[in-house]
Amino acid sequence: MTRNKRFLLLGQSFTTHMFSVMEAIVVLLSFYYGMNLGRQVYSQSTPYESPATFYVDVAGSDSWSGKLDAPNATHTDGPVATLERARELVREHKSQLSAPATIVVEVLSGVYDLPTELTFTAEDSGASQDCPVIWRARQGECVQVNAGSYLHNPKRLESNEIRSLLKENIRDDVIEYDLVDYQVEKLHGGVNAPLVYYQDEPMRLARYPNEGFVKISDLPTEDVTDVDVRGTRGIAEGKFFFDDPEILKCVNEKDLWVHGYWFWDWSEQKSRVASIDVDAKLITLEPPFHIYGYRKGQWFYVFNALSQLDLPGEYYVDVDLRKVYCLPTVKDWENASLLISRLPHALCLSDVTNFIWHGFDMVGASDDVIYSKGVLRNVEISCCDIHSSGAYGVTLSGVNCRVAQCEMWNLGAGGISLSGGDRTTLTPGNMRAEDNYIHDYAVLRRVYAPGIRINGVGNYAGHNTIENAPHMGMGFSGNDMVLEFNELSNVCSESNDAGAIYVGRNWTMRGNVIRHNYLHDITGFEGRGCVGVYLDDMFSSADIVGNLFVNVTRAAFIGGGRDCKINENLFVNCHPALHIDARGDGWAHDHIDSWLEEARTKGTISGIKYNEEPYASRYPELATILDPPHRPQLPEGNQVVGNICVGGSWDVNKQGQWQGDTIESKARELLKMENNYVVEEVDDALFVDASNGDYHLREDTDLTRKGYASLPIEQMGVLQKRMRDKVALRRAR
């Protein structure tokens, strides 16, 4: 049987990655390190050995040398069978080198089931930036690195006892998989249940309602602690009434859970149900209760309910019997195999340098798929498909690392989290997320798990496409960050008072740029509104410049911050385009009071020596923030210049829940606001083809004659053709 035929029989869907050995050495490295390795231009003073290549094939043998990509005629040598053995061979080869050399591990098509997480340490590093260790999938072949287990041999549910707990109309449709023979350790139900996927799509624990939420109808008034946050009232204990009688059918569930947005629209929690009072229709939860409390009208659903297993794509884990019950999504379920999470992680990078991981399909982890320990240097994760796992796709901390051209989806939390740089010295980390497509994420951790998060100093996220998520699209914290040429859409769909791009609560995180991004169709849960770029709670010194906002509520938001710019943006049908307030001199003064007290007593703000080097010269407005005539509680130094607002509303909103003036009077008095072009209706004569999303300005309009320029819309979102094709294919489904 040929390798390709053998692989196709596995019945899984993968993405083909086209890269040859020489391309890996020449193109990847020249792109990443800016070096022309194709001409072998090396330092004259440093000798280099020729690249070595080791091969891995599921049909190989770990007793072979790995130096051949296929078995020899006598079947005495050929590729090795496991990634672990290839790692050993690389280490052995490095120990024998007399000079730096590039080392390539080429992995042939197949599914590589990991016995434990695959860990690389400093011992697995490359010799230098121009002599890295490269692990990659072979050109045109599909290589899956699997941290889960594929469950086979399903059968119809036989137990009459279990069948009696199900709804009568679906009892004959439920199938079961036996976990006894699979390495699924520490089996749990509820919030810690293993994740299950069918054909790359996540199945979900049986729940009610199948879509949407149930509302809290009322709260008890006896034996509870009242909560009052600036007039928003609730209780501290997890007790609440409901009206929907379907929930009463869950009263005998042995491990019932609820998931809700209990007090604020942007903060959720999963909790175990302690009891259901059938007569009173009262749910009581087990501690710990939600940090903010519970209030009437907020929304929730129940899950891990065998009685609610009634929709194709749902499953339930029977911990006692070690079985998975599910309703299949296909008729030929006899041939269906499920992927169930097993290992916490697939790949661990610990203090690795000069290392490239390229072209793999990564699945099955219950936590972060790829994560780091220690400090990484010159590490690249590229052209990978990362999906069907329980937390983030990639979390890296280090210097000069890059995640590029990866597609990530069906992740329990966010896509990419990068940290690097020193905030005390303002030394940049140069951590980069570029040209990635991240969508349909935050399946389990619904809030504050963005598609991309960058932290530290001097890091970058550019040319990424992020869409379809319940909460944030991008987040950052730190100094001198650049977020540019990204496309974000249909995020914040399950929450309000949330930002597609969010950052908050710091005076000292300065020098950040949010430039040339395309944000569209972002309106919040139940259409009640959220925020496009959200500078929350006095966050200061961020430039929101040259972005395109289409159908976004509160598109550009300065929440009491200072020294921010909203310049040269295009707002189309945004209700409203602007929000600028002076909360630091009002309800949010506690934050500023604490910063001022710290500055007077310790000489720092948020732990930063704000008026000493390097901050004093880098951010002079911060160094003098306490000096007269400055008024630190007020939003000084902001400007709104050279923007275009077409349709929607500009600074007075006429619809939704935030009607009225969207710029607080104390903020307006301090605001530089000039050269903004505002028209109430979308004028097709202004744009090349607004009805089809082409918002380039026509050349013969008043706008262009006045000096307004078109935005570089064609560069927003993923840039490489391969990645654009992925976006187009996914959206066409």
Side-chain angles (χ1 to χ4, degrees):
M1 185 181 293
T2 67
R3 180 181 302 114
N4 287 338
K5 288 182 179 178
R6 182 179 70 248
F7 182 69
L8 291 174
L9 287 176
L10 295 170
Q12 304 304 319
S13 60
F14 303 97
T15 301
T16 300
H17 303 292
M18 304 295 292
F19 240 65
S20 67
V21 175
M22 288 307 298
E23 285 173 325
I25 297 171
V26 178
V27 179
L28 277 177
L29 292 174
S30 63
F31 181 60
Y32 185 30
Y33 302 117
M35 307 189 72
N36 188 352
L37 300 185
R39 293 201 304 264
Q40 301 292 298
V41 182
Y42 299 119
S43 168
Q44 295 298 317
S45 61
T46 304
Y48 285 81
E49 291 195 2
S50 300
T53 301
F54 296 94
Y55 299 94
V56 187
D57 188 345
V58 289
S61 171
D62 280 355
S63 65
W64 292 343
S65 71
K67 295 181 179 180
L68 304 175
D69 67 348
N72 61 13
T74 60
H75 276 256
T76 57
D77 197 10
V80 296
T82 66
L83 304 177
E84 291 78 10
R85 178 56 181 155
R87 180 183 57 191
E88 293 176 4
L89 292 176
V90 171
R91 291 174 177 178
E92 293 170 4
H93 180 75
K94 285 178 58 182
S95 69
Q96 299 168 5
L97 290 175
S98 59
T102 296
I103 302 173
V104 177
V105 177
E106 183 171 289
V107 186
L108 283 64
S109 66
V111 175
Y112 293 81
D113 295 320
L114 298 175
T116 60
E117 73 177 32
L118 185 62
T119 300
F120 294 99
T121 67
E123 189 177 4
D124 303 298
S125 299
S128 63
Q129 287 189 4
D130 44 349
C131 289
V133 171
I134 303 173
W135 285 69
R136 60 171 203 82
R138 166 168 277 197
Q139 173 186 354
E141 297 192 3
C142 309
V143 179
Q144 185 177 87
V145 178
N146 180 22
S149 293
Y150 283 103
L151 306 181
H152 303 283
N153 303 318
K155 61 182 180 180
R156 290 196 184 276
L157 177 61
E158 296 177 347
S159 169
N160 289 327
E161 181 181 356
I162 300 299
R163 286 168 59 89
S164 67
L165 300 175
L166 300 170
K167 295 181 179 180
E168 187 173 355
N169 64 317
I170 57 91
R171 290 174 184 171
D172 293 335
D173 298 324
V174 175
I175 61 176
E176 66 176 58
Y177 291 82
D178 198 327
L179 298 178
V180 172
D181 296 329
Y182 295 91
Q183 296 177 346
V184 181
E185 300 178 358
K186 298 180 180 179
L187 188 63
H188 298 283
V191 71
N192 293 314
L195 309 173
V196 175
Y197 304 85
Y198 177 66
Q199 290 187 331
D200 293 343
E201 293 300 322
M203 304 187 78
R204 67 183 188 187
L205 287 169
R207 56 167 279 182
Y208 179 81
N210 287 327
E211 301 293 338
F213 299 86
V214 175
K215 296 292 182 69
I216 295 176
S217 61
D218 209 344
L219 301 170
T221 57
E222 297 181 359
D223 299 322
V224 294
T225 306
D226 291 335
V227 173
D228 188 342
V229 183
R230 299 188 302 275
T232 301
R233 303 178 65 87
I235 62 173
E237 291 78 14
K239 301 179 180 180
F240 49 88
F241 296 102
F242 60 90
D243 288 334
D244 196 324
E246 185 68 23
I247 294 178
L248 298 177
K249 297 178 182 179
C250 301
V251 68
N252 293 320
E253 295 287 346
K254 58 184 178 182
D255 191 19
L256 185 66
W257 288 69
V258 290
H259 180 203
Y261 292 78
W262 302 112
F263 196 91
W264 299 120
D265 297 2
W266 40 265
S267 182
E268 45 84 48
Q269 181 173 297
K270 297 179 175 72
S271 300
R272 190 192 300 270
V273 174
S275 65
I276 299 177
D277 186 324
V278 175
D279 295 330
K281 290 186 178 179
L282 173 71
I283 290 178
T284 300
L285 305 180
E286 290 186 1
F289 300 136
H290 191 251
I291 185 174
Y292 297 112
Y294 303 79
R295 65 185 176 101
K296 181 179 178 180
Q298 292 300 109
W299 45 91
F300 70 97
Y301 62 85
V302 298
F303 70 101
N304 201 48
L306 182 60
S307 61
Q308 299 301 323
L309 182 61
D310 59 1
L311 186 73
E314 287 188 326
Y315 74 102
Y316 179 86
V317 178
D318 192 317
V319 177
D320 298 331
L321 298 178
R322 294 188 67 83
K323 292 181 182 293
V324 173
Y325 310 125
C326 67
L327 271 172
T329 56
V330 293
K331 293 182 179 180
D332 59 338
W333 55 266
E334 292 89 348
N335 298 316
S337 63
L338 301 185
L339 173 67
I340 188 169
S341 61
R342 178 171 47 88
L343 300 175
H345 313 282
L347 184 65
C348 173
L349 303 174
S350 180
D351 293 310
V352 178
T353 63
N354 309 314
F355 184 92
I356 294 174
W357 181 262
H358 178 87
F360 294 94
D361 188 272
M362 312 282 290
V363 300
S366 60
D367 206 312
D368 298 338
V369 182
I370 301 175
Y371 77 110
S372 68
K373 293 180 180 179
V375 178
L376 308 183
R377 294 182 181 274
N378 310 324
V379 169
E380 177 174 295
I381 310 294
S382 57
C383 296
C384 291
D385 284 356
I386 302 174
H387 58 101
S388 306
S389 294
Y392 275 83
V394 179
T395 61
L396 303 180
S397 179
V399 180
N400 296 331
C401 299
R402 180 171 179 260
V403 181
Q405 293 192 47
C406 293
E407 183 180 4
M408 303 184 190
W409 73 99
N410 289 343
L411 295 169
I416 299 169
S417 180
L418 302 178
S419 298
D422 188 320
R423 291 202 62 231
T424 300
T425 62
L426 294 179
T427 303
N430 193 32
M431 303 290 283
R432 303 176 72 84
E434 300 176 278
D435 217 36
N436 300 286
Y437 179 31
I438 304 170
H439 57 93
D440 300 285
Y441 57 93
V443 174
L444 300 177
R445 193 187 309 169
R446 304 296 282 177
V447 300
Y448 297 106
I452 294 177
R453 182 192 301 277
I454 53 175
N455 304 312
V457 179
N459 300 317
Y460 178 87
H463 294 292
N464 302 285
T465 293
I466 301 172
E467 60 188 13
N468 301 336
H471 198 238
M472 295 165 57
M474 304 182 77
F476 68 94
S477 66
N479 299 68
D480 304 331
M481 303 293 192
V482 176
L483 287 73
E484 67 177 3
F485 294 109
N486 302 290
E487 179 185 5
L488 293 85
S489 65
N490 296 303
V491 296
C492 301
S493 63
E494 198 173 274
S495 50
N496 298 302
D497 192 17
I501 298 177
Y502 177 87
V503 64
R505 293 183 182 154
N506 202 295
W507 265 347
T508 67
M509 293 181 178
R510 293 186 166 236
N512 299 292
V513 178
I514 303 168
R515 173 175 60 209
H516 297 325
N517 301 286
Y518 178 24
L519 286 76
H520 60 99
D521 302 303
I522 301 168
T523 57
F525 179 63
E526 296 179 337
R528 295 192 297 175
C530 53
V531 179
V533 177
Y534 197 159
L535 309 181
D536 198 9
D537 288 348
M538 287 71 68
F539 194 88
S540 299
S541 181
D543 294 349
I544 305 172
V545 178
N547 301 284
L548 171 61
F549 300 89
V550 181
N551 301 326
V552 181
T553 52
R554 290 202 286 189
F557 186 113
I558 301 176
R562 306 164 59 87
D563 307 315
C564 299
K565 297 177 182 178
I566 302 176
N567 292 354
E568 300 171 10
N569 302 282
L570 171 58
F571 302 93
V572 180
N573 282 332
C574 295
H575 294 277
L578 301 178
H579 174 103
I580 305 173
D581 63 49
R583 65 184 62 187
D585 196 39
W587 62 266
H589 68 88
D590 288 350
H591 297 296
I592 289 184
D593 292 346
S594 67
W595 298 340
L596 295 178
E597 179 64 18
E598 180 188 348
R600 295 186 182 105
T601 59
K602 299 180 179 180
T604 61
I605 297 175
S606 300
I608 295 295
K609 295 181 179 180
Y610 67 98
N611 57 0
E612 298 181 12
E613 296 298 333
Y615 279 77
S617 57
R618 187 80 64 86
Y619 315 118
E621 297 88 352
L622 176 63
T624 60
I625 193 169
L626 302 187
D627 299 342
H630 294 302
R631 293 167 291 174
Q633 295 88 347
L634 293 173
E636 299 177 333
N638 295 318
Q639 59 177 266
V640 179
V641 176
N643 300 279
I644 302 172
C645 179
V646 180
S649 54
W650 174 237
D651 58 354
V652 178
N653 193 24
K654 299 178 182 179
Q655 69 178 47
Q657 60 180 344
W658 303 300
Q659 295 186 26
D661 197 335
T662 63
I663 302 179
E664 190 175 345
S665 59
K666 287 186 287 187
R668 191 182 289 272
E669 293 170 0
L670 301 168
L671 183 65
K672 177 183 178 181
M673 191 169 177
E674 60 189 28
N675 298 329
N676 299 294
Y677 183 93
V678 180
V679 293
E680 292 187 357
E681 301 293 334
V682 176
D683 186 352
D684 289 335
L686 292 175
F687 304 113
V688 172
D689 190 0
S691 60
N692 289 305
D694 188 345
Y695 295 101
H696 287 93
L697 298 178
R698 293 185 181 275
E699 296 182 358
D700 56 346
T701 66
D702 289 341
L703 281 173
T704 52
R705 285 190 287 270
K706 291 178 180 178
Y708 293 93
S710 286
L711 299 176
I713 301 170
E714 64 281 353
Q715 297 183 49
M716 298 175 182
V718 292
L719 196 59
Q720 300 298 317
K721 181 181 184 303
R722 171 181 168 274
M723 298 306 298
R724 293 205 170 212
D725 289 345
K726 279 178 168 284
V727 174
L729 178 63
R730 181 71 60 167
R731 290 176 177 175
R733 292 180 180 176

